[in-house]
Amino acid sequence: MQTAARVTHLPPYLFLSLDQMVQRERARGRDIINLGIGDPDMPSAPDAVIALQQTVNDPETHRYPEALGSKRFRKAITDRYHARFGVDLDPETQVISLIGSKEGIAHLTWAYAEPGDLVLVPDPAYPVYRAQAEFTGATVYPLPLLPENHFLPNLGTLDPSILVRSKLLWLNYPNNPTGAVAPRAFYEEAVSLCRQYDILLCSDLAYADIGFGGYRPESVLSIPGADEVAIELYSLSKSFNMTGWRIAAAVGMRSAVLALGQVKSYLDSGPFTAIQNAAVAVLDTEPDAFIRGLNTIYEKRLNLALREIRAMGLLGEVPRSTFYVWFRTPPGMSSAAAASFFVQAAGVALTPGSAYGVYGEGWLRLSLTVPFVTLEDALMRMRQALSHRDNR
Ligand SMILES: Cc1ncc(COP(=O)(O)O)c(C=O)c1O
C-alpha cells in the first residue's frame, strides 16, 4: 500500500541509518566504535531512578496525566528557570510538559505552520525542525550557519519579503551539530526581529546545562519582553542523562503554550505522571551538583578530542557547550566519503556533516558520549588511518 507523500519523501532518519550501518559492520565481525550518536553513555541522575521506584507504586500515577503536566512538575520547571536563568514564569499559563523536546518541536510546528508559510530553519541543524515543517506543507527557508559568523544565522540580511511570510524561527543554542553558543546580543536581535514581523521564536535549549571553561548557556527568555514572542524547550534528556525517559517542557509565550496544549490534547496525554514526579525529584534536589560532575567528565573527554583532532589538522572552532566536536573533513573528501573512510579504515563511526543540511558539507560531527578510554582508542585509530593514507 502506498504511504503518504510526506512519508515517501522523507529521507531515512539519520541516526537510524547510522545505527544500521554500525550494526551491519559489527555483524561482519568488525570492531566499530560509534561516535555518531549523541546519547549520553552515563546513568541517569540517581534522584530520578530512586523517585521513580517509589512513585510508581502510587496508583494515582497510573491514570491519565494532567493536560498541561502536573502542578508539581510545572512548579519545578518554574523554579529551575528562576534559579538557573533568572527567568520568572507563571506555572499555570507559561509551562507545559512534553514527552521530550522532540515532541515539542513537532507539535509547535503543527500548531502554527501551514501551506504557504515559511519556517526559518538553520542549516546545518537537528533534522527534526525541517521534517516537521515539511509535514505541515509549509516551506523551509534555510538560514546558513557559517564558521565565519560563529555558526549564528545572519538575521540582519533576511529580506523583509521573506520575513513577512515567516511563521516560525528555529534557534538551537548551544547548537547541535556545531557546538556554537549564542551571545546575548544575538538573542536580543532575534527577539526584536520576531516582534517586528510577528514570528514565533522557538528556542531549542536541549543542551541547557552543558558548558565548558565556566560557560553556562543562557535562556532567550532572559531578554526583556521575550515571553511575548518566544517559546523555549527545556529537556531533562541531556542535562540529567535521561534521554530514554522522554520528559521536557515548553515554556514562555502564553498563547503558544495554549496552542501547543490544544494540539497535544488530540494527540497524546502528556508524560507518565510517575516520570514527571521523578523529574521533580531531580530538579528539586541539587541539580547543579549533578551537572557539575557531568560537565567535568565531558570536558576531560573534550580536551582529549581537541588535542587529537588538532594534531590531525582538522579542528574548526573549540566548542563551549554540547557534547559534540564539529570538525573539518580531511582535504579533498566530502562528508560522506570521510565518514565512510573512518568506518572502513579506522572502525570509527562519525556523523557526516552533510546529513544536517547542505552547509554541513565538508564537516564531521564527533560525539563525546563514550568512556574516555574508548574515545582515546577511537582517536588513535583515526590518526593512524589518516597517516597511513598520507603515506601511501
Ligand atoms: C538540538 C536537539 N533538540 C532536541 C533533541 C531531542 O531531545 P529530547 O530527548 O528532549 O527529545 C536533540 C537530541 O539529540 C537535539 O540534539
Side-chain angles (χ1 to χ4, degrees):
M1 191 183 285
Q2 182 65 45
T3 52
R6 77 177 72 89
V7 176
T8 320
H9 294 157
L10 208 56
Y13 191 59
L14 162 67
F15 300 104
L16 208 61
S17 328
L18 200 70
D19 203 41
Q20 282 164 352
M21 190 263 289
V22 169
Q23 298 309 335
R24 245 188 344 262
E25 291 295 321
R26 284 181 180 156
R28 284 193 197 132
R30 297 212 46 214
D31 165 25
I32 305 287
I33 299 176
N34 191 354
L35 305 183
I37 293 174
D39 192 355
D41 56 311
M42 292 171 278
S44 300
D47 288 329
V49 178
I50 295 164
L52 181 66
Q53 284 166 343
Q54 290 165 354
T55 187
V56 78
N57 291 321
D58 176 2
E60 274 303 306
T61 67
H62 303 171
R63 310 180 67 187
Y64 283 120
E66 286 173 59
L68 294 178
S70 73
K71 281 196 167 36
R72 290 183 60 215
F73 176 75
R74 285 183 281 146
K75 170 81 169 49
I77 291 285
T78 309
D79 291 347
R80 178 77 184 142
Y81 257 72
H82 177 79
R84 174 66 183 78
F85 304 113
V87 169
D88 288 317
L89 298 163
D90 172 14
E92 294 297 321
T93 57
Q94 291 190 287
V95 182
I96 180 168
S97 59
L98 296 173
I99 310 171
S101 44
K102 195 181 200 178
E103 184 256 297
I105 297 168
H107 294 150
L108 264 175
T109 312
W110 281 98
Y112 283 91
E114 53 193 350
D117 289 338
L118 294 180
V119 177
L120 304 172
V121 176
D123 181 340
Y126 182 56
V128 182
Y129 314 127
R130 166 178 284 273
Q132 291 302 331
E134 287 172 351
F135 273 177
T136 66
T139 303
V140 169
Y141 189 87
L143 305 178
L145 304 188
L146 304 173
E148 51 270 32
N149 202 32
H150 306 291
F151 301 109
L152 296 166
N154 199 337
L155 299 177
T157 60
L158 285 172
D159 197 275
S161 67
I162 296 298
L163 291 164
V164 292
R165 291 175 54 208
S166 300
K167 209 57 173 291
L168 302 176
L169 165 64
W170 279 105
L171 295 180
N172 162 226
Y173 293 98
N175 183 256
N176 174 16
T178 67
V181 299
R184 202 171 163 77
F186 172 76
Y187 275 153
E188 281 167 355
E189 184 190 6
V191 167
S192 140
L193 191 81
C194 287
R195 257 178 194 281
Q196 186 183 349
Y197 287 95
D198 196 25
I199 299 169
L200 179 66
L201 196 171
C202 303
S203 162
D204 179 357
L205 194 57
Y207 299 87
D209 294 299
I210 315 287
F212 309 122
Y215 176 75
R216 299 201 85 194
E218 282 190 69
S219 159
V220 74
L221 296 169
S222 66
I223 306 298
D227 72 347
E228 289 160 24
V229 76
I231 187 151
E232 189 158 77
L233 307 180
Y234 179 84
S235 174
L236 280 83
S237 284
K238 314 287 161 116
S239 300
F240 303 103
N241 299 336
M242 289 174 69
T243 48
W245 298 57
R246 315 311 301 132
I247 182 80
V251 305
M253 188 174 165
R254 288 180 172 80
S255 55
V257 167
L258 200 65
L260 187 52
Q262 279 169 328
V263 174
K264 280 171 62 64
S265 65
Y266 281 93
L267 289 163
D268 62 60
S269 299
F272 183 24
T273 304
I275 290 181
Q276 294 187 50
N277 291 347
V280 172
V282 171
L283 293 171
D284 281 358
T285 7
E286 294 282 326
D288 289 326
F290 181 83
I291 287 162
R292 267 196 303 278
L294 199 63
N295 281 332
T296 305
I297 295 171
Y298 284 138
E299 191 155 7
K300 205 166 148 226
R301 295 175 184 177
L302 173 70
N303 289 337
L304 166 71
L306 292 177
R307 195 183 67 216
E308 290 297 314
I309 295 171
R310 191 177 281 121
M312 293 177 219
L314 304 177
L315 192 61
E317 272 193 45
V318 173
R320 294 171 72 195
S321 176
T322 73
F323 37 62
Y324 305 115
V325 183
W326 184 242
F327 64 100
R328 300 275 185 188
T329 56
M333 275 194 200
S334 69
S335 294
S340 158
F341 167 77
F342 282 116
V343 170
Q344 299 308 329
V348 175
L350 301 160
T351 325
S354 50
Y356 299 95
V358 291
Y359 290 92
E361 183 51 79
W363 296 85
L364 289 163
R365 193 195 75 171
L366 174 151
S367 172
L368 300 169
T369 52
V370 292
F372 189 87
V373 285
T374 312
L375 185 63
E376 207 168 26
D377 186 15
L379 290 159
M380 189 195 66
R381 293 191 205 178
M382 287 167 63
R383 219 167 137 177
Q384 279 172 352
L386 275 179
S387 74
H388 283 154
R389 172 180 174 263
D390 293 343
N391 294 335
R392 263 208 320 247

